Amino acid sequence: RFVKRAGVWLTQPRFAVTAGAIVSDERGRVLLLRHVLRKGSGWGVPGGFLKASEQPEEAVRRELREETGLEPDSVELAFVRALGHTRQVEIIFRCRMRAAALEGLEKGFEIDRAEWFARDALPQGLSADQRRLIERALAVNARE
């Protein structure tokens, strides 16, 4: 039994698991963050790695608290994708938060800046992949 488990453990691929949040406000704007720890990557959606034994929704709520100090009004699963080049499974959530909650947000250890952006006016420094994440998550919402 031990040998069988060890064989499976040694031969099966390992993946990091992350949770990301596409956060929108009552006006349909999207929350983007400029991360201190990801310098050079520009703007991006909130998120991070799951801790051992942490449920994905707990992780996305924790990441939002750590990065913005705020709690979302609602959280729902949007989609899951596997990134082969980084051996990562990414769980994307669609979240709602009131725009006023962001007022007075101070720079923190992880975040240089947090801002709401209209979907048709996303910032220049936002990668094509992050744009696709936002569109996919919000398109799912529009179909429902």
Side-chain angles (χ1 to χ4, degrees):
R1 188 180 212 181
F2 171 77
V3 171
K4 187 175 181 179
R5 281 190 186 165
V8 169
W9 186 84
L10 290 171
T11 60
Q12 296 302 307
R14 302 286 179 262
F15 291 87
V17 181
T18 61
I22 308 302
V23 183
S24 58
D25 70 0
E26 62 276 3
R27 292 174 39 196
R29 297 178 301 174
V30 177
L31 176 65
L32 295 175
L33 308 177
R34 202 165 58 197
H35 290 82
V36 172
L37 302 176
R38 296 185 218 164
K39 279 286 189 209
S41 65
W43 291 95
V45 300
F49 292 96
L50 271 68
K51 294 181 178 180
S53 301
E54 185 176 40
Q55 293 299 313
E57 185 176 329
E58 293 170 4
V60 81
R61 287 180 180 277
R62 174 185 51 77
E63 285 292 338
L64 280 166
R65 276 191 309 275
E66 287 177 4
E67 295 177 348
T68 67
L70 303 171
E71 189 71 38
D73 297 329
S74 67
V75 175
E76 62 182 355
L77 179 64
F79 60 90
V80 178
R81 69 179 186 163
L83 305 174
H85 63 284
T86 58
R87 298 174 59 100
Q88 178 179 334
V89 173
E90 192 171 50
I91 304 167
I92 302 298
F93 290 90
R94 194 173 33 252
C95 304
R96 299 279 298 164
M97 188 183 295
R98 289 178 307 284
L102 204 58
E103 291 175 11
L105 180 70
E106 294 182 22
K107 285 197 272 186
F109 171 72
E110 292 187 58
I111 303 303
D112 180 43
R113 204 160 144 207
E115 220 173 292
W116 294 107
F117 291 91
R119 284 174 64 183
D120 61 354
L122 297 173
Q124 291 281 32
L126 187 64
S127 73
D129 181 61
Q130 294 282 291
R131 290 174 189 275
R132 283 190 299 272
L133 280 179
I134 292 166
E135 288 307 313
R136 183 174 175 192
L138 296 179
V140 168
N141 196 33
R143 288 192 301 254
E144 295 174 350

